[in-house]
Amino acid sequence: MNADQSDPVISTVTLDISGMSCASCAAMVEDALATTPGVQKASVNLASEKATVSFAPKQVNVEMLKTSVESAGYGASEIKHDGNRAAQAEATETRKLAEYNALKRRFAIAALLAAVIMPLSMTMLFPSVEHFFHQTIGMQALNYILLVLTLPVLLYSGREYYVSAYNTFLHRAANMDTLIAVGTGAAFVYSVVATVVPALFEQHGMKAEVYFDTTATIIALVLLGKVLETRAKGQTSAAIKKLIGLQAKTARILVHGQEQEIPIESVVVGNIVVVRPGEKIATDGEITEGSSSVDESMLTGESLPIEKTQGSSVFGGTVNKTGRFTFRATKVGSDTALAQIVRLVEEAQGSKAPIQRLADKISGIFVPAVVVISILTFVAWFNLMPADVRLPFALVNFVAVLIIACPCALGLATPTAIMVGTGKGAEHGILIRNAESLEKAHQISAILLDKTGTITKGEPTVTDFVILGELALRGKTIQLAASLESNSEHPLAAAIVNCGTREGVQLLPVSHFMAVEGKGATGVVDGKRIAIGNTKLIADENIILTQEALQTAERLIANARTAMFVAIEGQIQAVIAVADVVRGTSREAVAALQARGIEVVMLTGDNQKTAEHIASEVGIKRVFADVLPQDKANAVKQLQAEGKIVAMVGDGINDAPALAQADVGIAIGAGTDVAMEAASITLMRSDLRDVVKAIDLSRRTMANIKQNLFFAFVYNVLGIPLAAGLFYPFTDWLLSPMIAAAAMAMSSVSVLTNALRLKTIKL
Amino acid sequence: MDTAQILVTLAGTGLVVFVVWYFFFGKRETKAAMLTASGVQEISVLVKGSYTPEIIEVVKNKPVRLKFYRDETSSCSEELVFGEFNLRRELPAFETTVIDITPTKIGTFEFTCGMNMLRGKLVVR
């Protein structure tokens, strides 16, 4: 398919239509759309309040369609699905920035006015100043000035709190805004009454005090907290933003041999995409021409560039380093590895950790409970204090209780840490399915490692190439052996061919090739008859098995290797040992897991002897050998029956039931095939050290959540009684509502700042 | 106790009873999602101080489209969390955010704001 075909002549958009009440409304909207130039077809569904419009994008755009609907007297907004995520993310960023700037403006006004209101309210601290006001304008006039100065703080800066509290109240719900609105509202109303009719207080022997400074300062401080909170919250989702930002915006595709740059959304499967050195790869595909090394660290955490040649897979969002190549797009849009990673991380960040349940229960009843406590506080102090001071005393404590209570800290404690933790994991190629998996991973007490592909590389490799014939040349023997085996499809043959490639030998043509099942292969290379295989093949070929060859083979077999003889022209010239070798990092990872108090157990289909050999090589003490693939899940059950929290690590190929049975299933070496359903944690690299990192990340995140929850609980449990004046009879401690506001603003910020610390941990 | 104290105590007690009744024992609005011609169960939810309707009824194994229109700027409702479906979405003010899910099991699943104070329920039958 070329670009001309993929370029849509007709686009379709779905609009949400608001304001329609009857069938004639629907007809009017349909008519308005259908008569807009460029519109091919418009259909409006009254029940779903949707319009589906087919239009020529060259003549009309979505904005113009919306205007048509609006000029007919209805509202329209576009329903957006998975389109260009990067563009959507950008739009969200712009909107958030505008909201943040508006919030800062509201804070600036409140802070500025509070800075004026505060000293004017404190004249009683300076008798000469107070005397001056008494003599000139009088105290009541000063109060009116304070009232006028406070009004913009309430009506502009704090307006949202009152509107939200009212809307929430209408729906029998209550939130943070309720507390702020009731607290500041009560202080304000009291002050207005004291300003307008001071006699009401004076006739009862009370001083007509005003609390405009309290009202303004609380709103300013709450807004300051909000500004800081918004800034910090933006950083918790930095990892996902970074991932979304990896997506290329355009692709250069080949159309009739000509390069043509098109938007990424227009790329379709089958397009041939050109990539130059230093460029970002637009989408997933397979190299059709050229070679290069590609930096895939942003997706997999693998720091070394990966060599790519014709036929290799490449992934959107990764960066081409050295060469120029072309590739055929095989996956686009939401099917790409990057899109799947983004989806996985987003889902994890949206999930709830079981540890949050208690906090959720509390925050659900928190606000009404605090309102009840504040009312009781008011009643108690009104009854306990002397008549001349009881009203202001009760009011101040009532306001302090409402303002100090901070359900936000409770609400933020877990999700922010989960967001930062899962994001941190993604940066290291550790994809965590959900918060529950992350929570479970910190409790792991036993870890079951599947041998093949996990501890070992999962592919046979030549470990020894022992030359026996004195005159034989090593290089030549390897060349002949590799050439013969290049005709075979046996996995052991592949190991010998790879060995030849590593040694840099050139493969020669083979004639008379024959694969003998269960024995080996024979053929003629470079005019010589070659036989590679086991003792049965050597016997079939009537070749004398020398004592030296036999002993060499036995020694290799004792080391858990598979041995093969190489005969050239009827004489044994070499013994090749092949084994599935242990990954270089496995031993270190096993030691690190054991150091964390986790029992490491190996699982394999090999016999006990071979299994124990590999296990001892990496430092594993317990082994489940001779396990058939279908019995892997039973091994997990056996460990669970011992009372252990079990993690199963496998490559996900034939161990899905075991991964699902385990408390934490960890799929290793997923590469960019991240859709591993059975795993709770997917590791993109084939490095057991990432298992250690995943467990460390889980432990650190859980510790962080516990700190946050502890802080949020203790803050409220101590703060609310203190504000209610519970300690006043014994210690004379009372909390000014302004201090309460400062504490409340800082409590959410503290929780967020602590969660953000997770970004800096070293894994 | 003087008259003022008696009045304050009575009013306070009354308020406490009202708060408890109003917030915890009130009747909540329930509405069933409407099945469209395309087989999707669709419902519009107004986000303004709370979710209206608060309780949404749908049937199992059929796609559900929830259209959340956030009609306010209060930051309390800026995020929507749907734990059962691993969803945490931002709801831009004065815009409709479409959430597509397919419930595969019967039960009552809560959706809340980012801080778990505003609550709604999806009842799957």
Side-chain angles (χ1 to χ4, degrees), chain B residues 77-99:
Chain B
S77 59
E78 71 186 358
E79 259 186 336
L80 177 82
V81 180
F82 221 140
E84 177 66 25
F85 299 93
N86 287 345
L87 273 167
R88 179 178 287 272
R89 254 334 140 68
E90 279 201 33
L91 306 179
F94 312 115
E95 279 184 33
T96 300
T97 306
V98 177
I99 290 183

PDB file of all heavy atoms in Angstrom, chain B residues 77-99:
ATOM      1  N   SER B  77     -12.411  16.832  41.352  1.00  0.00           N
ATOM      2  CA  SER B  77     -12.968  15.844  40.418  1.00  0.00           C
ATOM      3  C   SER B  77     -12.101  15.667  39.178  1.00  0.00           C
ATOM      4  O   SER B  77     -12.516  15.062  38.209  1.00  0.00           O
ATOM      5  CB  SER B  77     -14.382  16.256  40.022  1.00  0.00           C
ATOM      6  OG  SER B  77     -14.356  17.526  39.417  1.00  0.00           O
ATOM      7  N   GLU B  78     -10.860  16.183  39.207  1.00  0.00           N
ATOM      8  CA  GLU B  78     -10.063  16.168  37.970  1.00  0.00           C
ATOM      9  C   GLU B  78      -9.612  14.771  37.549  1.00  0.00           C
ATOM     10  O   GLU B  78      -9.292  14.545  36.402  1.00  0.00           O
ATOM     11  CB  GLU B  78      -8.864  17.110  38.075  1.00  0.00           C
ATOM     12  CG  GLU B  78      -7.782  16.628  39.020  1.00  0.00           C
ATOM     13  CD  GLU B  78      -6.670  17.648  39.214  1.00  0.00           C
ATOM     14  OE1 GLU B  78      -6.725  18.708  38.585  1.00  0.00           O
ATOM     15  OE2 GLU B  78      -5.757  17.364  40.006  1.00  0.00           O
ATOM     16  N   GLU B  79      -9.594  13.836  38.487  1.00  0.00           N
ATOM     17  CA  GLU B  79      -9.181  12.487  38.124  1.00  0.00           C
ATOM     18  C   GLU B  79     -10.315  11.514  38.370  1.00  0.00           C
ATOM     19  O   GLU B  79     -11.077  11.671  39.318  1.00  0.00           O
ATOM     20  CB  GLU B  79      -7.997  12.065  38.981  1.00  0.00           C
ATOM     21  CG  GLU B  79      -6.679  12.177  38.278  1.00  0.00           C
ATOM     22  CD  GLU B  79      -5.557  11.613  39.138  1.00  0.00           C
ATOM     23  OE1 GLU B  79      -5.689  11.560  40.373  1.00  0.00           O
ATOM     24  OE2 GLU B  79      -4.563  11.215  38.574  1.00  0.00           O
ATOM     25  N   LEU B  80     -10.375  10.481  37.530  1.00  0.00           N
ATOM     26  CA  LEU B  80     -11.379   9.439  37.727  1.00  0.00           C
ATOM     27  C   LEU B  80     -10.618   8.121  37.886  1.00  0.00           C
ATOM     28  O   LEU B  80      -9.747   7.803  37.076  1.00  0.00           O
ATOM     29  CB  LEU B  80     -12.311   9.361  36.522  1.00  0.00           C
ATOM     30  CG  LEU B  80     -13.348   8.247  36.634  1.00  0.00           C
ATOM     31  CD1 LEU B  80     -14.523   8.702  37.481  1.00  0.00           C
ATOM     32  CD2 LEU B  80     -13.838   7.821  35.273  1.00  0.00           C
ATOM     33  N   VAL B  81     -10.932   7.392  38.936  1.00  0.00           N
ATOM     34  CA  VAL B  81     -10.248   6.126  39.173  1.00  0.00           C
ATOM     35  C   VAL B  81     -11.275   4.996  39.147  1.00  0.00           C
ATOM     36  O   VAL B  81     -12.301   5.064  39.816  1.00  0.00           O
ATOM     37  CB  VAL B  81      -9.510   6.130  40.529  1.00  0.00           C
ATOM     38  CG1 VAL B  81      -8.811   4.806  40.763  1.00  0.00           C
ATOM     39  CG2 VAL B  81      -8.512   7.268  40.584  1.00  0.00           C
ATOM     40  N   PHE B  82     -10.966   3.993  38.330  1.00  0.00           N
ATOM     41  CA  PHE B  82     -11.853   2.842  38.201  1.00  0.00           C
ATOM     42  C   PHE B  82     -10.977   1.623  38.472  1.00  0.00           C
ATOM     43  O   PHE B  82     -10.451   0.997  37.559  1.00  0.00           O
ATOM     44  CB  PHE B  82     -12.412   2.816  36.776  1.00  0.00           C
ATOM     45  CG  PHE B  82     -13.858   2.450  36.696  1.00  0.00           C
ATOM     46  CD1 PHE B  82     -14.701   3.112  35.811  1.00  0.00           C
ATOM     47  CD2 PHE B  82     -14.370   1.442  37.489  1.00  0.00           C
ATOM     48  CE1 PHE B  82     -16.035   2.788  35.713  1.00  0.00           C
ATOM     49  CE2 PHE B  82     -15.712   1.116  37.403  1.00  0.00           C
ATOM     50  CZ  PHE B  82     -16.541   1.779  36.513  1.00  0.00           C
ATOM     51  N   GLY B  83     -10.779   1.338  39.765  1.00  0.00           N
ATOM     52  CA  GLY B  83      -9.803   0.328  40.190  1.00  0.00           C
ATOM     53  C   GLY B  83      -9.986  -1.017  39.514  1.00  0.00           C
ATOM     54  O   GLY B  83      -9.026  -1.616  39.049  1.00  0.00           O
ATOM     55  N   GLU B  84     -11.225  -1.480  39.405  1.00  0.00           N
ATOM     56  CA  GLU B  84     -11.500  -2.796  38.845  1.00  0.00           C
ATOM     57  C   GLU B  84     -10.978  -2.912  37.404  1.00  0.00           C
ATOM     58  O   GLU B  84     -10.558  -3.967  36.961  1.00  0.00           O
ATOM     59  CB  GLU B  84     -13.012  -3.045  38.887  1.00  0.00           C
ATOM     60  CG  GLU B  84     -13.484  -4.349  38.270  1.00  0.00           C
ATOM     61  CD  GLU B  84     -13.001  -5.575  39.029  1.00  0.00           C
ATOM     62  OE1 GLU B  84     -12.722  -5.458  40.230  1.00  0.00           O
ATOM     63  OE2 GLU B  84     -12.893  -6.645  38.398  1.00  0.00           O
ATOM     64  N   PHE B  85     -11.006  -1.790  36.690  1.00  0.00           N
ATOM     65  CA  PHE B  85     -10.596  -1.823  35.289  1.00  0.00           C
ATOM     66  C   PHE B  85      -9.218  -1.176  35.082  1.00  0.00           C
ATOM     67  O   PHE B  85      -8.854  -0.833  33.952  1.00  0.00           O
ATOM     68  CB  PHE B  85     -11.662  -1.131  34.418  1.00  0.00           C
ATOM     69  CG  PHE B  85     -12.998  -1.816  34.502  1.00  0.00           C
ATOM     70  CD1 PHE B  85     -13.946  -1.389  35.417  1.00  0.00           C
ATOM     71  CD2 PHE B  85     -13.279  -2.916  33.727  1.00  0.00           C
ATOM     72  CE1 PHE B  85     -15.172  -2.035  35.530  1.00  0.00           C
ATOM     73  CE2 PHE B  85     -14.497  -3.567  33.821  1.00  0.00           C
ATOM     74  CZ  PHE B  85     -15.449  -3.135  34.728  1.00  0.00           C
ATOM     75  N   ASN B  86      -8.474  -1.020  36.166  1.00  0.00           N
ATOM     76  CA  ASN B  86      -7.126  -0.429  36.096  1.00  0.00           C
ATOM     77  C   ASN B  86      -7.121   0.897  35.348  1.00  0.00           C
ATOM     78  O   ASN B  86      -6.277   1.136  34.491  1.00  0.00           O
ATOM     79  CB  ASN B  86      -6.149  -1.391  35.412  1.00  0.00           C
ATOM     80  CG  ASN B  86      -5.797  -2.544  36.324  1.00  0.00           C
ATOM     81  OD1 ASN B  86      -6.053  -2.492  37.527  1.00  0.00           O
ATOM     82  ND2 ASN B  86      -5.205  -3.571  35.770  1.00  0.00           N
ATOM     83  N   LEU B  87      -8.072   1.726  35.655  1.00  0.00           N
ATOM     84  CA  LEU B  87      -8.190   2.989  34.928  1.00  0.00           C
ATOM     85  C   LEU B  87      -7.968   4.171  35.851  1.00  0.00           C
ATOM     86  O   LEU B  87      -8.568   4.234  36.921  1.00  0.00           O
ATOM     87  CB  LEU B  87      -9.598   3.124  34.345  1.00  0.00           C
ATOM     88  CG  LEU B  87      -9.863   2.517  32.984  1.00  0.00           C
ATOM     89  CD1 LEU B  87     -11.351   2.481  32.734  1.00  0.00           C
ATOM     90  CD2 LEU B  87      -9.193   3.328  31.914  1.00  0.00           C
ATOM     91  N   ARG B  88      -7.112   5.074  35.425  1.00  0.00           N
ATOM     92  CA  ARG B  88      -6.964   6.358  36.124  1.00  0.00           C
ATOM     93  C   ARG B  88      -6.927   7.391  35.008  1.00  0.00           C
ATOM     94  O   ARG B  88      -5.979   7.442  34.239  1.00  0.00           O
ATOM     95  CB  ARG B  88      -5.671   6.377  36.935  1.00  0.00           C
ATOM     96  CG  ARG B  88      -5.428   7.691  37.672  1.00  0.00           C
ATOM     97  CD  ARG B  88      -4.150   7.622  38.482  1.00  0.00           C
ATOM     98  NE  ARG B  88      -4.303   6.778  39.649  1.00  0.00           N
ATOM     99  CZ  ARG B  88      -4.750   7.209  40.842  1.00  0.00           C
ATOM    100  NH1 ARG B  88      -5.051   8.466  41.005  1.00  0.00           N
ATOM    101  NH2 ARG B  88      -4.869   6.371  41.832  1.00  0.00           N
ATOM    102  N   ARG B  89      -7.962   8.144  34.886  1.00  0.00           N
ATOM    103  CA  ARG B  89      -8.094   9.069  33.762  1.00  0.00           C
ATOM    104  C   ARG B  89      -8.260  10.483  34.253  1.00  0.00           C
ATOM    105  O   ARG B  89      -8.876  10.712  35.267  1.00  0.00           O
ATOM    106  CB  ARG B  89      -9.347   8.736  33.008  1.00  0.00           C
ATOM    107  CG  ARG B  89      -9.381   8.062  31.696  1.00  0.00           C
ATOM    108  CD  ARG B  89      -8.308   8.119  30.761  1.00  0.00           C
ATOM    109  NE  ARG B  89      -8.166   6.808  30.147  1.00  0.00           N
ATOM    110  CZ  ARG B  89      -9.051   6.282  29.327  1.00  0.00           C
ATOM    111  NH1 ARG B  89     -10.108   6.969  28.960  1.00  0.00           N
ATOM    112  NH2 ARG B  89      -8.872   5.087  28.845  1.00  0.00           N
ATOM    113  N   GLU B  90      -7.710  11.403  33.501  1.00  0.00           N
ATOM    114  CA  GLU B  90      -7.963  12.807  33.813  1.00  0.00           C
ATOM    115  C   GLU B  90      -9.221  13.237  33.101  1.00  0.00           C
ATOM    116  O   GLU B  90      -9.448  12.850  31.952  1.00  0.00           O
ATOM    117  CB  GLU B  90      -6.785  13.634  33.339  1.00  0.00           C
ATOM    118  CG  GLU B  90      -5.682  13.566  34.345  1.00  0.00           C
ATOM    119  CD  GLU B  90      -4.737  14.712  34.215  1.00  0.00           C
ATOM    120  OE1 GLU B  90      -5.173  15.806  33.844  1.00  0.00           O
ATOM    121  OE2 GLU B  90      -3.560  14.485  34.491  1.00  0.00           O
ATOM    122  N   LEU B  91     -10.036  14.002  33.781  1.00  0.00           N
ATOM    123  CA  LEU B  91     -11.244  14.516  33.161  1.00  0.00           C
ATOM    124  C   LEU B  91     -11.057  16.018  32.952  1.00  0.00           C
ATOM    125  O   LEU B  91     -11.163  16.785  33.904  1.00  0.00           O
ATOM    126  CB  LEU B  91     -12.460  14.272  34.073  1.00  0.00           C
ATOM    127  CG  LEU B  91     -12.727  12.844  34.556  1.00  0.00           C
ATOM    128  CD1 LEU B  91     -13.951  12.821  35.467  1.00  0.00           C
ATOM    129  CD2 LEU B  91     -12.937  11.894  33.393  1.00  0.00           C
ATOM    130  N   PRO B  92     -10.740  16.438  31.735  1.00  0.00           N
ATOM    131  CA  PRO B  92     -10.574  17.880  31.513  1.00  0.00           C
ATOM    132  C   PRO B  92     -11.894  18.604  31.773  1.00  0.00           C
ATOM    133  O   PRO B  92     -12.959  18.075  31.445  1.00  0.00           O
ATOM    134  CB  PRO B  92     -10.180  17.980  30.034  1.00  0.00           C
ATOM    135  CG  PRO B  92      -9.765  16.607  29.634  1.00  0.00           C
ATOM    136  CD  PRO B  92     -10.508  15.660  30.510  1.00  0.00           C
ATOM    137  N   ALA B  93     -11.802  19.795  32.368  1.00  0.00           N
ATOM    138  CA  ALA B  93     -13.002  20.557  32.707  1.00  0.00           C
ATOM    139  C   ALA B  93     -13.763  20.929  31.443  1.00  0.00           C
ATOM    140  O   ALA B  93     -13.155  21.252  30.418  1.00  0.00           O
ATOM    141  CB  ALA B  93     -12.626  21.803  33.481  1.00  0.00           C
ATOM    142  N   PHE B  94     -15.082  20.857  31.533  1.00  0.00           N
ATOM    143  CA  PHE B  94     -15.989  21.223  30.446  1.00  0.00           C
ATOM    144  C   PHE B  94     -15.743  20.429  29.165  1.00  0.00           C
ATOM    145  O   PHE B  94     -15.894  20.932  28.059  1.00  0.00           O
ATOM    146  CB  PHE B  94     -15.942  22.747  30.176  1.00  0.00           C
ATOM    147  CG  PHE B  94     -16.063  23.552  31.432  1.00  0.00           C
ATOM    148  CD1 PHE B  94     -15.011  24.342  31.882  1.00  0.00           C
ATOM    149  CD2 PHE B  94     -17.212  23.466  32.194  1.00  0.00           C
ATOM    150  CE1 PHE B  94     -15.120  25.046  33.067  1.00  0.00           C
ATOM    151  CE2 PHE B  94     -17.329  24.176  33.384  1.00  0.00           C
ATOM    152  CZ  PHE B  94     -16.275  24.963  33.819  1.00  0.00           C
ATOM    153  N   GLU B  95     -15.323  19.193  29.327  1.00  0.00           N
ATOM    154  CA  GLU B  95     -15.151  18.306  28.172  1.00  0.00           C
ATOM    155  C   GLU B  95     -15.737  16.942  28.509  1.00  0.00           C
ATOM    156  O   GLU B  95     -15.864  16.587  29.677  1.00  0.00           O
ATOM    157  CB  GLU B  95     -13.660  18.126  27.850  1.00  0.00           C
ATOM    158  CG  GLU B  95     -13.081  19.271  27.049  1.00  0.00           C
ATOM    159  CD  GLU B  95     -11.633  19.026  26.666  1.00  0.00           C
ATOM    160  OE1 GLU B  95     -11.259  17.856  26.443  1.00  0.00           O
ATOM    161  OE2 GLU B  95     -10.879  20.010  26.613  1.00  0.00           O
ATOM    162  N   THR B  96     -16.044  16.195  27.445  1.00  0.00           N
ATOM    163  CA  THR B  96     -16.548  14.842  27.654  1.00  0.00           C
ATOM    164  C   THR B  96     -15.384  13.860  27.503  1.00  0.00           C
ATOM    165  O   THR B  96     -14.666  13.917  26.515  1.00  0.00           O
ATOM    166  CB  THR B  96     -17.644  14.506  26.626  1.00  0.00           C
ATOM    167  OG1 THR B  96     -18.705  15.431  26.791  1.00  0.00           O
ATOM    168  CG2 THR B  96     -18.181  13.094  26.826  1.00  0.00           C
ATOM    169  N   THR B  97     -15.188  13.047  28.492  1.00  0.00           N
ATOM    170  CA  THR B  97     -14.158  12.020  28.412  1.00  0.00           C
ATOM    171  C   THR B  97     -14.860  10.673  28.275  1.00  0.00           C
ATOM    172  O   THR B  97     -15.704  10.324  29.095  1.00  0.00           O
ATOM    173  CB  THR B  97     -13.276  12.038  29.677  1.00  0.00           C
ATOM    174  OG1 THR B  97     -12.791  13.363  29.844  1.00  0.00           O
ATOM    175  CG2 THR B  97     -12.124  11.064  29.565  1.00  0.00           C
ATOM    176  N   VAL B  98     -14.512   9.972  27.218  1.00  0.00           N
ATOM    177  CA  VAL B  98     -15.187   8.704  26.950  1.00  0.00           C
ATOM    178  C   VAL B  98     -14.379   7.552  27.528  1.00  0.00           C
ATOM    179  O   VAL B  98     -13.163   7.473  27.335  1.00  0.00           O
ATOM    180  CB  VAL B  98     -15.354   8.508  25.429  1.00  0.00           C
ATOM    181  CG1 VAL B  98     -15.984   7.154  25.132  1.00  0.00           C
ATOM    182  CG2 VAL B  98     -16.211   9.613  24.846  1.00  0.00           C
ATOM    183  N   ILE B  99     -15.051   6.698  28.265  1.00  0.00           N
ATOM    184  CA  ILE B  99     -14.372   5.529  28.816  1.00  0.00           C
ATOM    185  C   ILE B  99     -15.090   4.280  28.331  1.00  0.00           C
ATOM    186  O   ILE B  99     -16.301   4.126  28.540  1.00  0.00           O
ATOM    187  CB  ILE B  99     -14.323   5.613  30.351  1.00  0.00           C
ATOM    188  CG1 ILE B  99     -13.348   6.734  30.709  1.00  0.00           C
ATOM    189  CG2 ILE B  99     -13.896   4.283  30.983  1.00  0.00           C
ATOM    190  CD1 ILE B  99     -13.105   6.946  32.136  1.00  0.00           C
TER     191      ILE B  99
END
